Amino acid sequence: MSIKWTTDSVPDQSGKVAVVTGANTGIGYETARTLAAKGARVVLACRSREKGEAAVARITAERPAGRAEFAALDLSDLDSVCAFANAFNRDNDRLDLLINNAGVMMCPESKTAQGFELQFGVNHLGHFALTALMLPLLRATPNARIVTVSSIAHRSGKMVFDDLHFATRGYSAMGAYTQSKLANLLFTFELQRKLQTAGAEMIAVAAHPGWTSTDLQRHTWWARMLNPLFAMSSERGALPTLRAATAADVKGGEYYGPDGWREMKGDPARVGTTETAKNLEDAARLWTVSEELTGVRFENL
């Protein structure tokens, strides 16, 4: 059966500037690679210089129509987020695509530089702060988009606002991951509501890769064991992100993922979420808490 929406479906990206976090491997790498092939200037914002520059070299070796660059960004340290944003804003006059792709998954208990639970800190708070700091440049760019990568795991997520960092309850690697992925959707939908209210031209959308084999799963033995049987490749797993980022018919607040059984595999299509992900009270509370924790606020929203 042929794939209905492929990298060939991505429209020309010439003249566009994109930032893809965590783009040295997995779906982030494939997203950056495709955008560069289609003519965009793509900044691979990664924690590891060695891995990021190696990814840039691989993309460059394919002689893309656009180009790829590396920039240091450690989402587990808000000082690094600020440094990246300040440098990017100083050196660039546009940003068409911000793709909040980087993440950690079901890792051992750990903290960010500012003391946040690592998965919530990287997957949500780091991207929340990054988006806020890049927002003026995004709003100054016609038809800009913010794409945040969530997961089918959001369906079992629960926001425990009284203990977001597992300080009093026992740490659960899965619980922390699903909470962070739910936060990605609550943030996206609240951001889109605020953008619409402010009359902004840009949109916020979300995507998830279904069951895709990536380095993200290095802490989960069952995923490594079952990936050869059930998982999609990174190239196919990146398609929902690419569709959300580039397709002409995408609207703000939409969510894209595979269209197959339980959204684990298939062609990229618009998909649904849990009612929990649409909870207006939780979205507003998460926004306020995120501003307080990061010390970063969204200008004019």
Side-chain angles (χ1 to χ4, degrees):
M1 187 174 71
S2 62
I3 304 173
K4 301 169 190 170
W5 201 97
T6 71
T7 52
D8 289 338
S9 308
V10 176
D12 180 51
Q13 299 295 298
S14 296
K16 293 190 176 183
V17 178
V19 169
V20 184
T21 66
N24 60 284
T25 189
I27 65 169
Y29 172 77
E30 295 300 335
T31 299
R33 176 173 168 257
T34 298
L35 292 173
K38 291 291 184 173
R41 175 177 155 246
V42 186
V43 177
L44 284 69
C46 312
R47 184 179 59 177
S48 167
R49 177 172 292 276
E50 180 183 3
K51 293 178 181 178
E53 290 181 344
V56 167
R58 291 197 304 274
I59 293 172
T60 302
E62 296 181 358
R63 299 176 182 270
R67 71 181 193 270
E69 304 169 8
F70 164 78
L73 172 63
D74 183 353
L75 288 158
S76 70
D77 185 350
L78 293 176
D79 291 339
S80 174
V81 175
C82 288
F84 169 85
N86 288 339
F88 190 92
N89 288 329
R90 180 192 66 224
D91 297 337
N92 294 272
D93 59 4
R94 69 181 298 130
L95 178 57
D96 298 86
L97 292 173
L98 173 60
I99 299 181
N100 293 323
N101 163 83
V104 288
M105 177 180 178
M106 288 186 271
C107 53
E109 186 173 12
S110 186
K111 304 293 183 187
T112 69
Q114 284 72 34
F116 309 133
E117 187 280 313
L118 186 67
Q119 296 186 78
F120 185 70
V122 169
N123 298 352
H124 170 62
L125 291 175
H127 282 128
F128 179 91
L130 177 66
T131 303
L133 294 168
M134 307 300 277
L135 194 72
L137 195 56
L138 285 158
R139 289 195 66 176
T141 307
N143 301 308
R145 295 187 192 183
I146 298 164
V147 181
T148 299
V149 178
S150 183
S151 167
I152 49 177
H154 90 271
R155 294 185 173 277
S156 56
K158 182 181 179 183
M159 299 305 304
V160 182
F161 286 103
D162 294 335
D163 190 21
L164 289 170
H165 308 292
F166 291 80
T168 57
R169 53 184 165 146
Y171 177 71
S172 163
M174 175 63 88
Y177 181 67
T178 58
Q179 176 181 254
S180 73
K181 293 289 102 180
L182 173 58
N184 288 151
L185 288 177
L186 289 167
F187 165 57
T188 295
F189 300 150
E190 183 72 359
L191 176 58
Q192 176 57 33
R193 283 189 286 270
K194 289 180 180 295
L195 288 170
Q196 194 165 352
T197 299
E201 186 181 72
M202 61 177 292
I203 60 172
V205 292
H208 80 82
W211 189 337
T212 294
S213 177
T214 73
D215 188 52
L216 185 69
Q217 299 153 339
R218 61 187 178 276
H219 298 294
T220 52
W221 63 267
W222 53 266
R224 296 195 303 272
M225 183 176 70
L226 296 174
N227 277 350
L229 297 174
F230 300 108
M232 294 193 296
S233 66
S234 293
E235 293 90 338
R236 286 203 70 186
L239 291 177
T241 301
L242 286 164
R243 184 165 187 175
T246 68
D249 59 348
V250 172
K251 295 179 176 61
E254 291 184 336
Y255 183 39
Y256 286 81
D259 65 356
W261 184 71
R262 292 187 178 271
E263 298 173 20
M264 289 198 292
K265 300 173 77 170
D267 296 324
R270 190 155 57 90
V271 295
T273 71
T274 59
E275 288 304 310
T276 306
K278 301 172 186 173
N279 187 293
L280 297 179
E281 266 186 36
D282 282 356
R285 186 174 181 184
L286 177 64
W287 191 279
T288 299
V289 167
S290 300
E291 287 189 329
E292 291 170 353
L293 291 173
T294 63
V296 177
R297 282 170 169 70
F298 282 71
E299 293 182 16
N300 303 319
L301 278 190

